[in-house]
Amino acid sequence: MNLIIVWSVVFVLALVCVILKKKLRIVSGLLLVFAITFFSLLTPNGKVLISLGSFNITEGALNSGLFKSGILLILQYFSKIVVSSKIKLPSKAGEFINEVFCIYEKLSQNEIRQIQHEEKEKEKVKENQKAGFVKKITGVLEKIDGHLVQVWESL
């Protein structure tokens, strides 16, 4: 019964996120569910449902894994909803929580690829600056070298 309630809440929160046009990563959510359920199955608990060689899939472990992964998805979707609503909480603790949600929103808006692209662009700018500096130094050294050659030839 608890499992049905948890997954009902997951679907309701996912629907609210879709209505609020929040980006849901379905594949990462499924991977989370599969990983937590798999690792929960490694500790057998309860009635054996399926036996694959020496690996037993038990009812208790399966329920536990699905329950835990559902709770994590609830927390993830709930945080997306709370961040989007711009709730202002009073007191110092409220200010801290608001700041945490603000940081979370900024982090969840940028995708890793975009951040990596920006870092590559910054590296290119630095390389171009280094190349310009090297050209300036090379030009100065060539002028000094040319002057030294003229002095040497005049001797």
Side-chain angles (χ1 to χ4, degrees):
M1 187 65 164
N2 289 338
L3 198 58
I4 294 171
I5 293 170
V6 166
W7 281 96
S8 298
V9 172
V10 167
F11 289 120
V12 167
L13 289 176
L15 182 64
V16 171
C17 286
V18 168
I19 291 170
L20 293 175
K21 298 181 181 176
K22 291 292 172 182
K23 188 173 187 179
L24 292 180
R25 292 181 174 90
I26 303 298
V27 175
S28 64
L30 289 174
L31 287 174
L32 176 86
V33 170
F34 287 129
I36 291 174
T37 304
F38 173 76
F39 287 112
S40 181
L41 289 174
L42 294 177
T43 56
N45 178 17
K47 180 183 171 186
V48 176
L49 299 175
I50 300 171
S51 182
L52 303 169
S54 62
F55 185 72
N56 295 325
I57 297 176
T58 60
E59 183 179 7
L62 185 62
N63 286 339
S64 174
L66 290 173
F67 183 79
K68 290 175 184 177
S69 61
I71 294 294
L72 282 175
L73 286 176
I74 286 173
L75 293 173
Q76 182 181 8
Y77 295 158
F78 183 71
S79 66
K80 286 180 182 275
I81 293 167
V82 169
V83 166
S84 69
S85 64
K86 304 288 185 196
I87 295 173
K88 298 294 180 196
L89 302 172
S91 77
K92 295 271 187 194
E95 288 176 17
F96 175 74
I97 291 171
N98 288 335
E99 188 175 337
V100 168
F101 283 145
C102 180
I103 293 169
Y104 175 76
E105 184 176 28
K106 288 179 182 178
L107 288 174
S108 64
Q109 286 176 349
N110 290 333
E111 294 205 17
I112 294 174
R113 291 180 188 152
Q114 182 181 359
I115 293 170
Q116 288 174 343
H117 177 71
E118 290 172 0
E119 290 297 321
K120 286 180 183 177
E121 291 296 321
K122 287 179 185 177
E123 287 177 14
K124 287 180 183 177
V125 169
K126 286 181 182 178
E127 288 176 13
N128 289 340
Q129 289 174 348
K130 287 179 186 177
F133 180 73
V134 169
K135 285 182 182 178
K136 288 179 184 178
I137 295 285
T138 305
V140 170
L141 290 177
E142 287 176 356
K143 287 181 182 179
I144 293 172
D145 203 31
H147 184 67
L148 289 174
V149 168
Q150 284 177 355
V151 170
W152 177 260
E153 290 175 350
S154 68
L155 293 174

